[in-house]
mmCIF file of all heavy atoms in Angstrom:
data_model
loop_
_atom_site.group_PDB
_atom_site.id
_atom_site.type_symbol
_atom_site.label_atom_id
_atom_site.label_comp_id
_atom_site.label_asym_id
_atom_site.label_seq_id
_atom_site.Cartn_x
_atom_site.Cartn_y
_atom_site.Cartn_z
ATOM 1 N N CYS A 72 9.826 12.234 9.501
ATOM 2 C CA CYS A 72 9.274 12.309 8.147
ATOM 3 C C CYS A 72 10.193 13.128 7.251
ATOM 4 O O CYS A 72 9.803 14.183 6.712
ATOM 5 C CB CYS A 72 7.880 12.911 8.184
ATOM 6 S SG CYS A 72 6.722 12.025 9.212
ATOM 7 N N VAL A 73 11.381 12.651 7.061
ATOM 8 C CA VAL A 73 12.422 13.436 6.389
ATOM 9 C C VAL A 73 12.183 13.594 4.889
ATOM 10 O O VAL A 73 12.827 14.427 4.246
ATOM 11 C CB VAL A 73 13.808 12.825 6.644
ATOM 12 C CG1 VAL A 73 14.183 12.936 8.116
ATOM 13 C CG2 VAL A 73 13.850 11.362 6.206
ATOM 14 N N LYS A 74 11.252 12.807 4.320
ATOM 15 C CA LYS A 74 10.946 12.921 2.899
ATOM 16 C C LYS A 74 9.637 13.657 2.628
ATOM 17 O O LYS A 74 9.213 13.768 1.474
ATOM 18 C CB LYS A 74 10.893 11.527 2.259
ATOM 19 C CG LYS A 74 12.227 10.795 2.247
ATOM 20 C CD LYS A 74 12.113 9.462 1.525
ATOM 21 C CE LYS A 74 13.458 8.750 1.489
ATOM 22 N NZ LYS A 74 13.374 7.434 0.803
ATOM 23 N N LEU A 75 9.016 14.164 3.673
ATOM 24 C CA LEU A 75 7.717 14.804 3.532
ATOM 25 C C LEU A 75 7.806 16.053 2.656
ATOM 26 O O LEU A 75 8.632 16.927 2.884
ATOM 27 C CB LEU A 75 7.172 15.177 4.906
ATOM 28 C CG LEU A 75 5.703 15.612 4.951
ATOM 29 C CD1 LEU A 75 4.793 14.437 4.616
ATOM 30 C CD2 LEU A 75 5.355 16.173 6.323
ATOM 31 N N THR A 76 6.922 16.119 1.644
ATOM 32 C CA THR A 76 6.880 17.281 0.756
ATOM 33 C C THR A 76 5.600 18.094 0.919
ATOM 34 O O THR A 76 5.609 19.308 0.702
ATOM 35 C CB THR A 76 7.000 16.853 -0.717
ATOM 36 O OG1 THR A 76 5.932 15.944 -1.045
ATOM 37 C CG2 THR A 76 8.340 16.175 -0.977
ATOM 38 N N ASN A 77 4.501 17.433 1.295
ATOM 39 C CA ASN A 77 3.201 18.107 1.393
ATOM 40 C C ASN A 77 2.566 17.851 2.753
ATOM 41 O O ASN A 77 2.362 16.697 3.141
ATOM 42 C CB ASN A 77 2.255 17.620 0.301
ATOM 43 C CG ASN A 77 2.689 18.021 -1.085
ATOM 44 O OD1 ASN A 77 3.680 17.519 -1.592
ATOM 45 N ND2 ASN A 77 1.962 18.918 -1.704
ATOM 46 N N LEU A 78 2.227 18.939 3.459
ATOM 47 C CA LEU A 78 1.607 18.835 4.773
ATOM 48 C C LEU A 78 0.366 19.720 4.817
ATOM 49 O O LEU A 78 0.446 20.933 4.655
ATOM 50 C CB LEU A 78 2.594 19.258 5.867
ATOM 51 C CG LEU A 78 2.077 19.202 7.299
ATOM 52 C CD1 LEU A 78 1.666 17.785 7.695
ATOM 53 C CD2 LEU A 78 3.133 19.726 8.269
ATOM 54 N N LEU A 79 -0.801 19.102 5.036
ATOM 55 C CA LEU A 79 -2.080 19.810 5.026
ATOM 56 C C LEU A 79 -2.767 19.638 6.380
ATOM 57 O O LEU A 79 -3.114 18.517 6.763
ATOM 58 C CB LEU A 79 -2.996 19.274 3.922
ATOM 59 C CG LEU A 79 -2.545 19.432 2.461
ATOM 60 C CD1 LEU A 79 -1.474 18.409 2.091
ATOM 61 C CD2 LEU A 79 -3.738 19.272 1.525
ATOM 62 N N ILE A 80 -2.934 20.745 7.109
ATOM 63 C CA ILE A 80 -3.618 20.707 8.412
ATOM 64 C C ILE A 80 -4.548 21.915 8.492
ATOM 65 O O ILE A 80 -4.481 22.738 9.397
ATOM 66 C CB ILE A 80 -2.612 20.689 9.582
ATOM 67 C CG1 ILE A 80 -1.455 19.738 9.310
ATOM 68 C CG2 ILE A 80 -3.308 20.271 10.875
ATOM 69 C CD1 ILE A 80 -0.443 19.654 10.414
ATOM 70 N N SER A 81 -5.442 22.027 7.524
ATOM 71 C CA SER A 81 -6.363 23.156 7.457
ATOM 72 C C SER A 81 -7.676 22.840 8.171
ATOM 73 O O SER A 81 -8.038 21.682 8.358
ATOM 74 C CB SER A 81 -6.664 23.501 5.995
ATOM 75 O OG SER A 81 -5.485 23.877 5.324
ATOM 76 N N ASN A 82 -8.370 23.912 8.530
ATOM 77 C CA ASN A 82 -9.699 23.801 9.133
ATOM 78 C C ASN A 82 -9.694 22.903 10.372
ATOM 79 O O ASN A 82 -10.470 21.951 10.477
ATOM 80 C CB ASN A 82 -10.720 23.295 8.109
ATOM 81 C CG ASN A 82 -12.151 23.587 8.525
ATOM 82 O OD1 ASN A 82 -12.404 24.498 9.307
ATOM 83 N ND2 ASN A 82 -13.080 22.801 8.021
ATOM 84 N N ASN A 83 -8.806 23.228 11.295
ATOM 85 C CA ASN A 83 -8.775 22.599 12.604
ATOM 86 C C ASN A 83 -9.004 23.687 13.656
ATOM 87 O O ASN A 83 -9.570 24.737 13.348
ATOM 88 C CB ASN A 83 -7.445 21.881 12.818
ATOM 89 C CG ASN A 83 -7.420 20.500 12.181
ATOM 90 O OD1 ASN A 83 -7.728 19.504 12.817
ATOM 91 N ND2 ASN A 83 -7.033 20.433 10.908
ATOM 92 N N LEU A 84 -8.544 23.447 14.855
ATOM 93 C CA LEU A 84 -8.695 24.418 15.952
ATOM 94 C C LEU A 84 -7.338 24.802 16.526
ATOM 95 O O LEU A 84 -7.224 25.177 17.692
ATOM 96 C CB LEU A 84 -9.575 23.817 17.064
ATOM 97 C CG LEU A 84 -10.970 23.337 16.636
ATOM 98 C CD1 LEU A 84 -11.652 22.610 17.794
ATOM 99 C CD2 LEU A 84 -11.827 24.500 16.167
ATOM 100 N N ILE A 85 -6.315 24.734 15.706
ATOM 101 C CA ILE A 85 -4.947 24.948 16.170
ATOM 102 C C ILE A 85 -4.745 26.381 16.654
ATOM 103 O O ILE A 85 -5.014 27.342 15.921
ATOM 104 C CB ILE A 85 -3.932 24.614 15.068
ATOM 105 C CG1 ILE A 85 -4.005 23.130 14.724
ATOM 106 C CG2 ILE A 85 -2.516 24.992 15.493
ATOM 107 C CD1 ILE A 85 -3.183 22.733 13.518
ATOM 108 N N GLU A 86 -4.267 26.516 17.866
ATOM 109 C CA GLU A 86 -3.922 27.809 18.446
ATOM 110 C C GLU A 86 -2.422 27.952 18.643
ATOM 111 O O GLU A 86 -1.885 29.052 18.570
ATOM 112 C CB GLU A 86 -4.622 27.986 19.789
ATOM 113 C CG GLU A 86 -6.150 28.026 19.711
ATOM 114 C CD GLU A 86 -6.789 28.271 21.057
ATOM 115 O OE1 GLU A 86 -6.048 28.514 22.042
ATOM 116 O OE2 GLU A 86 -8.025 28.222 21.147
ATOM 117 N N VAL A 87 -1.751 26.837 18.903
ATOM 118 C CA VAL A 87 -0.334 26.855 19.272
ATOM 119 C C VAL A 87 0.487 26.035 18.286
ATOM 120 O O VAL A 87 0.117 24.914 17.928
ATOM 121 C CB VAL A 87 -0.135 26.299 20.701
ATOM 122 C CG1 VAL A 87 1.348 26.274 21.056
ATOM 123 C CG2 VAL A 87 -0.923 27.114 21.707
ATOM 124 N N ILE A 88 1.606 26.606 17.854
ATOM 125 C CA ILE A 88 2.582 25.885 17.032
ATOM 126 C C ILE A 88 3.849 25.716 17.846
ATOM 127 O O ILE A 88 4.450 26.698 18.286
ATOM 128 C CB ILE A 88 2.892 26.648 15.733
ATOM 129 C CG1 ILE A 88 1.628 26.771 14.881
ATOM 130 C CG2 ILE A 88 3.994 25.932 14.940
ATOM 131 C CD1 ILE A 88 1.834 27.528 13.597
ATOM 132 N N ALA A 89 4.247 24.476 18.059
ATOM 133 C CA ALA A 89 5.427 24.186 18.879
ATOM 134 C C ALA A 89 6.700 24.661 18.200
ATOM 135 O O ALA A 89 6.802 24.709 16.969
ATOM 136 C CB ALA A 89 5.509 22.689 19.156
ATOM 137 N N GLU A 90 7.699 25.007 18.998
ATOM 138 C CA GLU A 90 9.008 25.394 18.471
ATOM 139 C C GLU A 90 9.635 24.203 17.725
ATOM 140 O O GLU A 90 9.569 23.065 18.181
ATOM 141 C CB GLU A 90 9.939 25.815 19.598
ATOM 142 C CG GLU A 90 9.532 27.107 20.291
ATOM 143 C CD GLU A 90 9.846 28.328 19.457
ATOM 144 O OE1 GLU A 90 10.655 28.204 18.519
ATOM 145 O OE2 GLU A 90 9.280 29.403 19.745
ATOM 146 N N GLY A 91 10.203 24.470 16.564
ATOM 147 C CA GLY A 91 10.916 23.439 15.820
ATOM 148 C C GLY A 91 10.046 22.387 15.176
ATOM 149 O O GLY A 91 10.526 21.325 14.793
ATOM 150 N N VAL A 92 8.761 22.672 15.007
ATOM 151 C CA VAL A 92 7.837 21.656 14.513
ATOM 152 C C VAL A 92 8.187 21.178 13.100
ATOM 153 O O VAL A 92 7.960 20.022 12.755
ATOM 154 C CB VAL A 92 6.379 22.173 14.571
ATOM 155 C CG1 VAL A 92 6.164 23.322 13.603
ATOM 156 C CG2 VAL A 92 5.389 21.056 14.332
ATOM 157 N N PHE A 93 8.771 22.047 12.267
ATOM 158 C CA PHE A 93 9.149 21.669 10.903
ATOM 159 C C PHE A 93 10.664 21.525 10.734
ATOM 160 O O PHE A 93 11.162 21.452 9.613
ATOM 161 C CB PHE A 93 8.645 22.711 9.901
ATOM 162 C CG PHE A 93 7.154 22.921 9.906
ATOM 163 C CD1 PHE A 93 6.630 24.183 9.633
ATOM 164 C CD2 PHE A 93 6.285 21.877 10.166
ATOM 165 C CE1 PHE A 93 5.255 24.396 9.631
ATOM 166 C CE2 PHE A 93 4.911 22.078 10.165
ATOM 167 C CZ PHE A 93 4.394 23.339 9.896
ATOM 168 N N GLU A 94 11.375 21.463 11.812
ATOM 169 C CA GLU A 94 12.839 21.533 11.789
ATOM 170 C C GLU A 94 13.482 20.464 10.924
ATOM 171 O O GLU A 94 14.481 20.706 10.237
ATOM 172 C CB GLU A 94 13.373 21.434 13.214
ATOM 173 C CG GLU A 94 14.879 21.571 13.319
ATOM 174 C CD GLU A 94 15.355 21.513 14.762
ATOM 175 O OE1 GLU A 94 14.513 21.298 15.663
ATOM 176 O OE2 GLU A 94 16.565 21.677 14.984
ATOM 177 N N LYS A 95 12.942 19.253 10.916
ATOM 178 C CA LYS A 95 13.551 18.137 10.181
ATOM 179 C C LYS A 95 12.975 17.947 8.783
ATOM 180 O O LYS A 95 13.422 17.088 8.030
ATOM 181 C CB LYS A 95 13.355 16.847 10.975
ATOM 182 C CG LYS A 95 13.887 16.888 12.403
ATOM 183 C CD LYS A 95 15.387 17.047 12.446
ATOM 184 C CE LYS A 95 15.883 17.006 13.890
ATOM 185 N NZ LYS A 95 17.350 17.158 13.980
ATOM 186 N N LEU A 96 12.009 18.769 8.412
ATOM 187 C CA LEU A 96 11.307 18.579 7.137
ATOM 188 C C LEU A 96 12.012 19.345 6.015
ATOM 189 O O LEU A 96 11.470 20.292 5.441
ATOM 190 C CB LEU A 96 9.851 19.025 7.274
ATOM 191 C CG LEU A 96 9.058 18.381 8.410
ATOM 192 C CD1 LEU A 96 7.593 18.821 8.372
ATOM 193 C CD2 LEU A 96 9.156 16.865 8.354
ATOM 194 N N VAL A 97 13.185 18.915 5.675
ATOM 195 C CA VAL A 97 14.019 19.652 4.722
ATOM 196 C C VAL A 97 13.544 19.515 3.280
ATOM 197 O O VAL A 97 13.987 20.265 2.404
ATOM 198 C CB VAL A 97 15.491 19.210 4.841
ATOM 199 C CG1 VAL A 97 16.053 19.570 6.209
ATOM 200 C CG2 VAL A 97 15.634 17.713 4.590
ATOM 201 N N GLN A 98 12.621 18.572 3.012
ATOM 202 C CA GLN A 98 12.089 18.403 1.660
ATOM 203 C C GLN A 98 10.728 19.062 1.480
ATOM 204 O O GLN A 98 10.145 18.996 0.399
ATOM 205 C CB GLN A 98 11.959 16.899 1.348
ATOM 206 C CG GLN A 98 13.242 16.106 1.439
ATOM 207 C CD GLN A 98 14.299 16.561 0.464
ATOM 208 O OE1 GLN A 98 13.981 16.995 -0.656
ATOM 209 N NE2 GLN A 98 15.557 16.466 0.847
ATOM 210 N N LEU A 99 10.239 19.724 2.513
ATOM 211 C CA LEU A 99 8.888 20.286 2.478
ATOM 212 C C LEU A 99 8.730 21.320 1.361
ATOM 213 O O LEU A 99 9.537 22.240 1.243
ATOM 214 C CB LEU A 99 8.562 20.919 3.832
ATOM 215 C CG LEU A 99 7.104 21.266 4.106
ATOM 216 C CD1 LEU A 99 6.244 20.008 4.132
ATOM 217 C CD2 LEU A 99 6.963 22.017 5.426
ATOM 218 N N ILE A 100 7.669 21.164 0.565
ATOM 219 C CA ILE A 100 7.393 22.065 -0.543
ATOM 220 C C ILE A 100 6.103 22.855 -0.324
ATOM 221 O O ILE A 100 6.016 24.032 -0.681
ATOM 222 C CB ILE A 100 7.291 21.280 -1.876
ATOM 223 C CG1 ILE A 100 8.662 20.704 -2.247
ATOM 224 C CG2 ILE A 100 6.777 22.163 -3.006
ATOM 225 C CD1 ILE A 100 8.619 19.809 -3.481
ATOM 226 N N TYR A 101 5.122 22.207 0.298
ATOM 227 C CA TYR A 101 3.784 22.792 0.418
ATOM 228 C C TYR A 101 3.274 22.621 1.843
ATOM 229 O O TYR A 101 3.308 21.503 2.382
ATOM 230 C CB TYR A 101 2.845 22.095 -0.562
ATOM 231 C CG TYR A 101 1.388 22.516 -0.490
ATOM 232 C CD1 TYR A 101 0.870 23.437 -1.393
ATOM 233 C CD2 TYR A 101 0.526 21.969 0.459
ATOM 234 C CE1 TYR A 101 -0.470 23.818 -1.343
ATOM 235 C CE2 TYR A 101 -0.812 22.336 0.515
ATOM 236 C CZ TYR A 101 -1.300 23.252 -0.383
ATOM 237 O OH TYR A 101 -2.620 23.622 -0.322
ATOM 238 N N VAL A 102 2.797 23.709 2.458
ATOM 239 C CA VAL A 102 2.184 23.609 3.780
ATOM 240 C C VAL A 102 0.934 24.488 3.825
ATOM 241 O O VAL A 102 0.952 25.640 3.413
ATOM 242 C CB VAL A 102 3.168 24.007 4.903
ATOM 243 C CG1 VAL A 102 3.667 25.429 4.744
ATOM 244 C CG2 VAL A 102 2.540 23.800 6.267
ATOM 245 N N SER A 103 -0.165 23.889 4.302
ATOM 246 C CA SER A 103 -1.408 24.647 4.473
ATOM 247 C C SER A 103 -1.879 24.515 5.914
ATOM 248 O O SER A 103 -2.098 23.413 6.407
ATOM 249 C CB SER A 103 -2.495 24.161 3.508
ATOM 250 O OG SER A 103 -2.827 22.812 3.743
ATOM 251 N N LEU A 104 -1.997 25.673 6.573
ATOM 252 C CA LEU A 104 -2.482 25.752 7.949
ATOM 253 C C LEU A 104 -3.611 26.766 8.038
ATOM 254 O O LEU A 104 -3.858 27.353 9.090
ATOM 255 C CB LEU A 104 -1.339 26.156 8.884
ATOM 256 C CG LEU A 104 -0.259 25.107 9.133
ATOM 257 C CD1 LEU A 104 0.988 25.731 9.740
ATOM 258 C CD2 LEU A 104 -0.786 24.001 10.033
ATOM 259 N N ASN A 105 -4.286 26.967 6.929
ATOM 260 C CA ASN A 105 -5.357 27.956 6.892
ATOM 261 C C ASN A 105 -6.580 27.486 7.687
ATOM 262 O O ASN A 105 -6.734 26.306 8.004
ATOM 263 C CB ASN A 105 -5.768 28.250 5.456
ATOM 264 C CG ASN A 105 -6.029 27.000 4.644
ATOM 265 O OD1 ASN A 105 -5.091 26.376 4.145
ATOM 266 N ND2 ASN A 105 -7.295 26.624 4.499
ATOM 267 N N ASP A 106 -7.413 28.452 8.053
ATOM 268 C CA ASP A 106 -8.652 28.183 8.779
ATOM 269 C C ASP A 106 -8.399 27.476 10.105
ATOM 270 O O ASP A 106 -8.978 26.428 10.399
ATOM 271 C CB ASP A 106 -9.613 27.363 7.908
ATOM 272 C CG ASP A 106 -10.086 28.135 6.688
ATOM 273 O OD1 ASP A 106 -10.980 28.990 6.832
ATOM 274 O OD2 ASP A 106 -9.538 27.907 5.598
ATOM 275 N N ASN A 107 -7.518 28.078 10.891
ATOM 276 C CA ASN A 107 -7.267 27.639 12.261
ATOM 277 C C ASN A 107 -7.430 28.836 13.187
ATOM 278 O O ASN A 107 -8.029 29.852 12.801
ATOM 279 C CB ASN A 107 -5.877 27.012 12.369
ATOM 280 C CG ASN A 107 -5.860 25.563 11.906
ATOM 281 O OD1 ASN A 107 -6.355 24.670 12.582
ATOM 282 N ND2 ASN A 107 -5.298 25.330 10.722
ATOM 283 N N HIS A 108 -6.887 28.741 14.397
ATOM 284 C CA HIS A 108 -6.976 29.839 15.372
ATOM 285 C C HIS A 108 -5.590 30.320 15.781
ATOM 286 O O HIS A 108 -5.395 30.773 16.898
ATOM 287 C CB HIS A 108 -7.747 29.379 16.614
ATOM 288 C CG HIS A 108 -9.163 28.969 16.335
ATOM 289 N ND1 HIS A 108 -9.923 28.248 17.227
ATOM 290 C CD2 HIS A 108 -9.961 29.189 15.260
ATOM 291 C CE1 HIS A 108 -11.123 28.030 16.719
ATOM 292 N NE2 HIS A 108 -11.161 28.593 15.524
#
Side-chain angles (χ1 to χ4, degrees):
C72 302
V73 294
K74 294 183 179 179
L75 191 67
T76 58
N77 293 70
L78 180 61
L79 297 77
I80 317 181
S81 298
N82 199 23
N83 278 267
L84 304 173
I85 296 172
E86 296 183 6
V87 178
I88 297 179
E90 292 285 343
V92 67
F93 301 147
E94 183 178 4
K95 304 295 183 180
L96 306 184
V97 296
Q98 302 298 326
L99 194 64
I100 293 175
Y101 176 99
V102 59
S103 62
L104 289 164
N105 50 279
D106 295 282
N107 279 287
H108 299 165

